[in-house]
Amino acid sequence: AQTVTQSQPEMSVQEAETVTLSCTYDTSESNYYLFWYKQPPSRQMILVIRQEAYKQQNATENRFSVNFQKAAKSFSLKISDSQLGDTAMYFCAFLGGRDDKIIFGKGTRLHILP
Amino acid sequence: GAVVSQHPSRVICKSGTSVKIECRSLDFQATTMFWYRQFPKQSLMLMATSNEGSKATYEQGVEKDKFLINHASLTLSTLTVTSAHPEDSSFYICSARGGWDQPQHFGDGTRLSIL
């Protein structure tokens, strides 16, 4: 069975700093997708970034980038030049194999301090 | 981008009533829709997966007679909480996707409060 682990329940950084959120997963599948979702206080789930396992190049979306290490089954999210609006809960998620459903990690609560 | 509309956003009702929550994909056809429940400061807990035109697949521990799911079209799924009780109070979120390899797009959620 697939699992997703986020080892940092909560983090705080100063505005404009760079922060990295860690995520590891376990799977026997070779083809799968990984996601980072953001849930701000409004509780809306927002897709931040997506990575296909077959792609070696790390995905980037403006200030957000990932460090995808397939062999290590690691999928960390880097937020550069952090902004107050980045304050949110961040969920790492996995989709792959026979399961038709995304598996979410427990989340990391990120606070950006002014 | 893909938009999923969830309605209502907030419901307060008396114990014993049934509550229906709608989830609509506005600009794409959703072959699969998902219903989640989220407790405060916790991750999303998948309740059930529904494919258009077929019965929903419920996760272990979720009462199918309590949480009725209907996915009658490619753009609409509904979750009905039957005979709701205070312990059913929670935040419910739906999501939808067009194909297996497509990302899930989420509705804004429904905060359900049973008095």
Side-chain angles (χ1 to χ4, degrees):
Chain A
Q2 280 77 231
T3 59
V4 177
T5 302
Q6 292 180 251
S7 59
Q8 304 151 311
E10 198 158 357
M11 298 180 71
S12 296
V13 296
Q14 293 294 136
E15 191 177 7
E17 289 185 349
T18 294
V19 60
T20 299
L21 281 60
S22 65
C23 173
T24 58
Y25 59 94
D26 190 24
T27 183
S28 58
E29 301 293 331
S30 58
N31 187 27
Y32 50 87
Y33 298 83
L34 295 162
F35 309 88
W36 277 98
Y37 280 91
K38 168 185 177 181
Q39 189 180 38
S42 65
R43 304 192 79 170
Q44 181 186 13
M45 289 289 284
I46 302 166
L47 177 63
V48 175
I49 203 162
R50 168 187 170 176
Q51 175 81 44
E52 291 90 343
Y54 63 86
K55 289 187 177 179
Q56 292 185 341
Q57 187 173 8
N58 289 324
T60 62
E61 285 289 339
N62 301 313
R63 297 183 295 107
F64 299 87
S65 62
V66 297
N67 183 5
F68 174 45
Q69 301 291 327
K70 191 172 184 178
K73 295 178 182 175
S74 171
F75 184 61
S76 61
L77 174 69
K78 185 172 82 171
I79 305 174
S80 303
D81 185 27
S82 58
Q83 300 174 358
L84 296 178
D86 296 332
T87 292
M89 189 75 141
Y90 287 82
F91 294 101
C92 179
F94 172 98
L95 173 66
R98 296 182 181 180
D99 277 345
D100 192 32
K101 54 199 179 187
I102 282 182
I103 298 169
F104 287 94
K106 291 188 175 182
T108 296
R109 187 171 299 279
L110 176 65
H111 302 274
I112 307 300
L113 307 173
Chain B
V3 177
V4 174
S5 173
Q6 186 173 341
H7 180 79
S9 60
R10 183 84 164 94
V11 181
I12 303 173
C13 59
K14 293 182 179 179
S15 183
T17 58
S18 293
V19 179
K20 180 184 282 188
I21 303 170
E22 291 189 348
C23 182
R24 294 180 184 272
S25 57
L26 298 185
D27 53 358
F28 68 102
Q29 292 187 326
T31 55
T32 307
M33 288 187 169
F34 304 85
W35 287 96
Y36 296 86
R37 183 172 180 175
Q38 187 178 31
F39 293 101
K41 297 187 178 181
Q42 292 190 23
S43 188
L44 280 69
M45 182 188 77
L46 181 65
M47 299 174 66
T49 302
S50 72
N51 292 294
E52 184 266 337
S54 59
K55 289 184 178 180
T57 302
Y58 289 81
E59 295 298 304
Q60 192 172 13
V62 178
E63 300 175 60
K64 57 182 65 178
D65 294 330
K66 174 75 169 176
F67 300 99
L68 301 179
I69 292 171
N70 182 278
H71 191 168
S73 76
L74 284 171
T75 59
L76 174 65
S77 177
T78 60
L79 167 67
T80 301
V81 183
T82 62
S83 187
H85 291 285
E87 58 266 29
D88 298 323
S89 297
S90 191
F91 190 68
Y92 294 87
I93 309 177
C94 74
S95 71
R97 71 174 187 219
W100 181 87
D101 61 341
Q102 298 301 308
Q104 286 184 215
H105 300 280
F106 288 81
D108 287 346
T110 298
R111 187 179 303 278
L112 175 63
S113 299
I114 308 299
L115 305 177

